[in-house]
Amino acid sequence: MREDFIQSLNEELGADVLFGADIPARFRNDWAGLEPVTPLALVRPRTTEQISATLRLCDRFKISVVPQGGLTGLAGGARPIEGGVALSLDRMNGIDEIDPVMATMTVQAGTPLGVIQRAAEEAGLFFGLDLGARDSCVIGGNLSTNAGGNRVIRFGMAREHVLGLEVVLPDGTIVRSLNKMLKNNAGYDLKQLFIGSEGTLGIITRAVLRLQAKPAALASALCGCSGFPAMLELLKSARLRMGSALIAFEVMWPSFYDFMTGNLPELRRALSEPHGIYVLIEAGGRDADENRTMLEHILSDALEEGWVSDAVLSSSEREARELWAVRDSVSEYGRLMGPQTAFDVGLPTSVAGSVVSEIEAAMKNRWPDAIALSYGHIGDSNLHFVCNIPSLGNSQPHKEITELVFTAVGRAGGTISAEHGIGLLKKPYLKLSRTPQELALMERIKRAIDPNNILNTGKVLTI
């Protein structure tokens, strides 16, 4: 059967399929740090119809298929399966249409997020989703994991930016639902099945994205606070006084800020004195002077109240980029640390400070040389935590670290995944965040749509 499958795939895809040793190394893994896997075949389709043909064959021969986007995922969701097919959407890359009247953009799934952002700006509009990996990740992956990023506090998760989808089901059926209307209550909202399902129910091939009015300017400030309680007061004040003008509220603990600025000479340490916690605030609206004045007043009052010890307000786009460069430097982990154990958890904002203190202290107590970095989108209850034990080299105690972190998160009433998905790495722990009834319903949906279990087999769910 394997030989018949290979022959059939060759006949359908021809030059757009590679096998075995001919598959480039980059398609054998994602950023999760697991061991690479060489799949049976790599398919790089150029059209939705080619994806349909590939899935029809895989469903017929019961061959597993792993959809791949920008391969920037940190949970192993895009890691190939031995004996299966890796299906990359890198050639389905482009913007089909920008509709300035409806404020929508129709894009192919392999289009990088940064390309979408720049195209929206050129059209006088704005795309609210933003991630540090904006020039590496692609929109199909963003939607399949329901990505969050820096501006969730204002614009919401990835699903909030989608009006319609084109999807290919496991049996090759193409479902075109490229809706452009804000109001459309005709039956089930089917797109929500596929957003956040990590390629286990269908492959997203196109999306109609919702755009926003372009802010006249974005004003950014870096604040140094004495500690977590002071930061919470600043957050409350910013929410109350800025309203929808509050675009981002990013928090960096000294463990992260000091490590990154101390090891990357290209980063500017804007605040000379050390602080208990660092906050990046971004304001955006229709009037540039009003944005800056509003932020100035909030910071002035916060300094007077003692919530902020020191602050720097950007006076140009260049200065704003420099302030954000520290937060976006997470892409440099690879050259600063060895293998990492990374976490993307959700926590009630009020307890995030105590949980970070607990985790960082426990890490240092267990492994004195531990590098434990904490940062996140605390305005929307999302904490990122990255750990490496230098003395253990490639033999990182991933399981022990994971148990330590997830136990603390569970005690605090949090979730094991805020925005990165479940993939392979978090699958054993999904039961900590979902009830048995919820998991059973997920399995029923998966079996109904993918009875042969070919799409991203073994990811997310244990079936």
Side-chain angles (χ1 to χ4, degrees):
M1 286 183 64
R2 172 173 161 150
E3 288 72 22
D4 291 343
F5 171 72
I6 291 173
Q7 181 181 343
S8 299
L9 196 59
N10 256 324
E11 290 172 357
E12 284 281 0
L13 277 300
D16 294 321
V17 60
L18 297 172
F19 296 93
D22 292 332
I23 298 172
R26 72 175 297 264
F27 297 101
R28 302 180 189 185
N29 213 348
D30 58 15
W31 285 6
L34 297 167
E35 285 296 314
V37 172
T38 302
L40 170 64
L42 167 68
V43 176
R44 299 175 69 194
R46 302 171 190 272
T47 67
T48 301
E49 286 70 25
Q50 285 184 311
I51 293 178
S52 173
T54 301
L55 291 189
R56 276 200 311 272
L57 281 173
C58 291
D59 195 50
R60 174 181 153 202
F61 286 94
K62 296 183 174 57
I63 301 290
S64 294
V65 181
V66 177
Q68 294 184 336
L71 296 165
T72 59
L74 298 173
R79 181 176 182 252
I81 294 171
E82 189 172 351
V85 168
L87 192 150
S88 172
L89 285 97
D90 63 333
R91 287 176 171 167
M92 293 192 63
N93 175 353
I95 296 168
D96 293 344
E97 178 196 45
I98 297 178
D99 185 337
V101 175
M102 297 298 292
T104 66
M105 182 188 300
T106 304
V107 300
Q108 297 180 52
T111 309
L113 175 60
V115 170
I116 293 169
Q117 292 175 332
R118 290 186 286 274
E121 289 178 13
E122 289 170 6
L125 295 164
F126 182 76
F127 187 56
L129 184 67
D130 186 45
L131 315 175
R134 62 187 68 84
D135 291 315
S136 303
C137 64
V138 302
I139 194 65
N142 299 152
L143 301 184
S144 70
T145 57
N146 189 31
N150 303 329
R151 294 169 176 160
V152 169
I153 194 171
R154 168 64 179 87
F155 297 109
M157 300 285 280
R159 69 173 70 252
E160 306 298 329
H161 302 269
V162 184
L163 293 174
L165 290 179
E166 177 184 83
V167 177
V168 183
L169 301 183
D171 64 359
T173 300
I174 300 172
V175 179
R176 289 191 171 97
S177 184
L178 296 171
N179 168 69
K180 292 171 63 175
M181 295 174 287
L182 287 176
K183 292 182 176 180
N184 186 347
N185 279 340
Y188 300 153
D189 190 359
L190 295 174
K191 67 178 181 290
Q192 301 298 350
L193 274 175
F194 305 100
I195 300 172
S197 66
E198 301 183 51
T200 60
L201 300 179
I203 297 179
I204 295 171
T205 53
R206 273 181 174 78
V208 179
L209 304 175
R210 182 181 181 185
L211 305 179
Q212 311 288 334
K214 182 180 179 181
L218 297 174
S220 297
L222 177 67
C223 309
C225 300
S226 60
F228 196 80
M231 183 278 295
L232 288 180
E233 295 298 331
L234 177 61
L235 174 59
K236 285 193 292 185
S237 176
R239 280 191 198 275
L240 179 65
R241 296 173 61 178
M242 296 173 70
S244 62
L246 179 59
I247 302 295
F249 193 94
E250 297 291 299
V251 175
M252 299 169 282
W253 274 258
S255 57
F256 172 84
Y257 191 82
D258 294 344
F259 180 81
M260 301 309 284
T261 57
N263 286 282
L264 293 172
E266 63 268 29
L267 296 181
R268 181 171 75 91
R269 192 179 176 97
L271 299 177
S272 56
E273 297 297 320
H275 297 278
I277 203 160
Y278 300 85
V279 179
L280 264 170
I281 302 179
E282 186 175 68
R286 299 301 300 164
D287 187 287
D289 292 335
E290 185 178 297
N291 293 340
R292 185 177 176 82
T293 300
M294 176 172 51
L295 200 47
E296 282 177 345
H297 287 164
I298 289 171
L299 295 179
S300 176
D301 291 347
L303 284 162
E304 187 174 330
E305 292 285 349
W307 304 332
V308 172
S309 306
D310 196 6
V312 174
L313 180 59
S314 64
S315 59
S316 66
E317 288 188 14
R318 179 185 60 80
E319 287 187 4
R321 286 195 300 270
E322 288 179 351
L323 294 181
W324 277 94
V326 180
R327 176 61 182 83
D328 288 342
S329 64
V330 295
S331 59
E332 301 298 326
Y333 284 156
R335 66 186 177 102
L336 298 181
M337 292 187 281
Q340 307 134 39
T341 308
F343 298 89
D344 149 52
V345 300
L347 287 163
T349 300
S350 60
V351 303
S354 59
V355 173
V356 167
S357 297
E358 176 187 346
I359 291 173
E360 289 192 357
M363 291 290 302
K364 289 290 187 181
N365 183 59
R366 177 65 182 83
W367 301 281
D369 67 328
I371 299 171
L373 313 181
S374 303
Y375 59 100
H377 322 290
I378 297 301
D380 45 68
S381 306
N382 184 195
L383 173 69
H384 295 298
F385 182 78
V386 177
C387 180
N388 169 260
I389 317 296
S391 59
L392 297 181
N394 290 327
S395 302
Q396 296 292 301
H398 297 296
K399 189 174 188 300
E400 192 172 349
I401 294 171
T402 300
E403 295 284 351
L404 186 156
V405 172
F406 284 165
T407 297
V409 170
R411 278 199 300 266
T415 173
I416 65 166
S417 181
E419 60 178 355
H420 286 175
I422 300 300
L424 276 174
L425 292 181
K426 296 181 185 178
K427 186 175 70 169
Y429 306 97
L430 184 56
K431 61 186 177 184
L432 298 177
S433 297
R434 293 294 192 183
T435 66
Q437 293 78 17
E438 288 175 312
L439 291 171
L441 180 55
M442 291 180 197
E443 291 178 5
R444 286 170 65 186
I445 293 170
K446 169 69 171 174
R447 289 192 176 98
I449 296 176
D450 184 13
N452 289 324
N453 195 19
I454 68 159
L455 272 184
N456 235 356
T457 312
K459 312 288 178 64
V460 185
L461 300 171
T462 307
I463 59 173

